[in-house]
Amino acid sequence: MRRIILGCAAVCAVQLILISLLVFILSELMPGDALTGRISPSITGERLREMRGQMGFDRPWGARYASWLSGIFKGDFGVSFSHKLPVAQLVGEKFGNTLLLGAFSFLICYALSVSFGVIAGRYRGSWPDRAVSSGSYALMSIPQAVLGILAIFIFGYTLKWLPPGGSVDSGVLGPLALIMSRLRHLILPALTQLVRGEVAAGQEAEYILSLRSRGVAPSRVFWAHILRNSLIPAMSLSGSYLAALLGGTALVETIFSYPGIGKLFVDSVLKRDYPTANFILLLTAFMAAAGTLLSDIIMNRLDPRIKML
Amino acid sequence: MNPPLLAVSGISVAYKRGLSSKYSVQAVRGVSFSAWRGRTLGLIGESGSGKSSALNAVAGLVKPIAGEIIFDGKPVGKRRPGMSMIFQSGAIDPKMRIADVVAEPLRNHKRMPAKDERAAVIKLLEMVGLPSAFMERLPWELSGGQLQRAGIARALALRPSLLLADEPVTALDPDAKEQILDLLARLIKEFRMACVFVTHDLEAARYLCDAFCIMQNGEIVERGGVYRIFNEPQQAYTKLLLESGAVCAG
């Protein structure tokens, strides 16, 4: 177990360094910098060079990447060009909101998808299966932006059940944002289909027929054998899904004006605040790597075949 | 002649399709056969002929829509501890250790105190030619033949008088197939079990069975002893089956 975790952690560390390089190169390739469009057109070229020099833009990109990377290792993630605040402080303020949103969405997604998947798989071919399958395919097909706007219109403005967007206070979530967050993600329908497929296939498996032929109680066959084996693939994806939820919030946070890192990322890119944007990208990559590690640990706990490796 | 241990008379098995409440697929139509202790009856036929459905009905895995199944002189109930079934692949839960796999029927039917379980499992594994060191192994660490042996050990745990075998050697290589057939033949004689052996492998059937029922489209089209079926087949379908099975009459 310890060997597996250490091995995965080492791979993750290498991945993150490569991703940091990629992120930095991408920001270099984008047109303009933090000064573009934000200074008077009448400014002299000499003053512009001076300002670029003060911000370190006159140094070669390799030197800037090296100092950015060494700063990261020391816990210094740079200063936001637009907010004039340390990036870590700026992102830290919003990260809690996104984390809460993501974690809540994740729990709801898993609870709903596993329940729907189990029902559909257990009663394969019946009307509950058809209802769940149709619903999940519909959710997969509707673009999340369309779904978000529809939800705002129906629940926020027409029915007035929920506030249409934003958050009450920092860290307190707007209910509609939460609902949409969990609905919008493809995780719900995708996971439902995965669980459904596993449960349905599990019921036909020879070892299940074998248990039934020996008179093992149907409830025990289902809970101890079919369900446990069916959930292993879903659980193994949980880490990756959690990372996707945290990293993929840009659109939903922008639609709902929700103060999380997704919205901060979009704002940072629009203002060419690359230290902030780069840090958020790197944080997302870190969450994805941590999620993958979490998946490996969960698989290790659930599946004895992996524990033996 | 002694009364049969298993007497199946006129059973029909049908399945519903989709949301329909009507039976639309008739898999078995009014089939009757019997099995005696110490003897093996082969249900032979191509895929879709209804042989596995008939066997599943005996095992209680599907409910026949018509007919009667008498086991040991009584109509079968929901629990059938006197019967055990083996399948194509060993039918073992991939996350269970072999010791738990073999002990599972003992626990399920509360046959012995937990302290005696280990010794019973070792004895069952020995019976099928597996060393006790296999107890702690997981299914993926065993070969196909070893998995089938573990499945047979589990089937023997409750000392059944009827063994139902659904294509138990189909997925095995020739060496493993021969060994499993030898093992089954020995165990059937040793424990005086009746066996219903479902297969489309005529070579395996001829090796193990004393009598055959040839099935086509859910019905038994011909029945008889091994010698008679192989040497004097009456039905065109049986002749075709023998030719396609490339089995020489002997």
Side-chain angles (χ1 to χ4, degrees), chain B residues 11-54:
Chain B
I11 59 159
S12 295
V13 175
Y15 300 104
K16 293 170 185 171
R17 188 177 280 167
L19 293 176
S20 170
S21 58
K22 291 179 183 170
Y23 292 105
S24 52
V25 181
Q26 181 97 28
V28 178
R29 302 158 196 270
V31 161
S32 302
F33 56 85
S34 301
W36 279 265
R37 281 181 177 274
R39 295 174 65 80
T40 300
L41 172 73
L43 292 185
I44 317 295
E46 61 192 349
S47 296
S49 58
K51 54 192 190 303
S52 288
S53 290

Side-chain angles (χ1 to χ4, degrees), chain A:
Chain A
M1 177 74 171
R2 198 175 160 187
R3 187 168 59 87
I4 290 173
I5 292 173
L6 287 175
C8 291
V11 171
C12 290
V14 174
Q15 282 176 335
L16 285 175
I17 289 174
L18 290 174
I19 288 168
S20 74
L21 181 63
L22 194 66
V23 162
F24 197 87
I25 290 173
L26 277 175
S27 67
E28 283 298 309
L29 290 175
M30 288 167 84
D33 56 31
L35 296 175
T36 307
R38 300 187 60 210
I39 49 175
S40 164
S42 60
I43 198 165
T44 63
E46 192 182 341
R47 175 68 187 133
L48 196 58
R49 274 193 296 279
E50 192 186 325
M51 286 172 77
R52 287 212 155 95
Q54 284 169 358
M55 298 180 92
F57 293 160
D58 55 346
R59 296 162 64 207
W61 75 267
R64 278 184 287 126
Y65 170 69
S67 56
W68 180 59
L69 194 64
S70 67
I72 288 172
F73 281 117
K74 291 175 200 157
D76 174 12
F77 299 98
V79 175
S80 161
F81 293 154
S82 56
H83 294 84
K84 313 292 181 203
L85 281 171
V87 168
Q89 182 190 334
L90 183 64
V91 174
E93 284 169 6
K94 316 281 184 188
F95 185 63
N97 291 348
T98 298
L99 195 66
L100 199 58
L101 178 66
F104 194 77
S105 305
F106 177 80
L107 289 176
I108 296 288
C109 269
Y110 258 74
L112 286 178
S113 3
V114 168
S115 309
F116 285 153
V118 165
I119 291 167
R122 192 165 190 184
Y123 304 104
R124 190 176 49 160
S126 62
W127 70 263
D129 177 24
R130 293 192 182 191
V132 168
S133 296
S134 308
S136 58
Y137 284 124
L139 274 179
M140 269 190 219
S141 314
I142 302 172
Q144 51 181 299
V146 174
L147 206 60
I149 291 162
L150 269 177
I152 290 172
F153 179 72
I154 295 169
F155 298 110
Y157 289 104
T158 309
L159 298 173
K160 298 190 189 303
W161 286 356
L162 300 162
S167 68
V168 181
D169 288 312
S170 176
V172 181
L173 300 167
L176 190 51
L178 284 174
I179 291 166
M180 281 322 300
S181 174
R182 70 194 183 225
L183 277 180
R184 76 180 180 86
H185 286 294
L186 292 180
I187 293 168
L188 174 62
L191 202 60
T192 300
Q193 284 304 310
L194 176 72
V195 173
R196 177 203 174 273
E198 291 291 331
V199 170
Q203 292 196 107
E204 301 294 317
E206 271 195 349
Y207 71 88
I208 295 301
L209 294 179
S210 162
L211 286 161
R212 287 176 50 209
S213 76
R214 291 193 298 283
V216 178
S219 59
R220 179 161 174 75
V221 171
F222 185 75
W223 293 106
H225 297 276
I226 297 176
L227 196 60
R228 185 169 170 189
N229 283 316
S230 302
L231 289 185
I232 288 175
M235 289 299 128
S236 73
L237 290 173
S238 56
S240 315
Y241 279 153
L242 184 59
L245 277 167
L246 293 175
T249 52
L251 189 58
V252 77
E253 288 183 5
T254 304
I255 291 174
F256 292 104
S257 305
Y258 183 83
I261 58 167
K263 186 171 184 303
L264 179 63
F265 175 74
V266 174
D267 292 344
S268 303
V269 170
L270 292 175
K271 291 174 184 168
R272 297 182 174 83
D273 183 359
Y274 295 135
T276 307
N278 287 356
F279 178 63
I280 292 172
L281 279 177
L282 203 57
L283 185 66
T284 305
F286 173 78
M287 295 305 295
T292 307
L293 185 61
L294 183 67
S295 291
D296 290 341
I297 294 169
I298 291 170
M299 279 298 280
N300 189 276
R301 300 290 302 171
L302 284 180
D303 194 338
R305 285 170 292 184
I306 290 176
K307 203 175 281 182
M308 297 287 288
L309 293 174

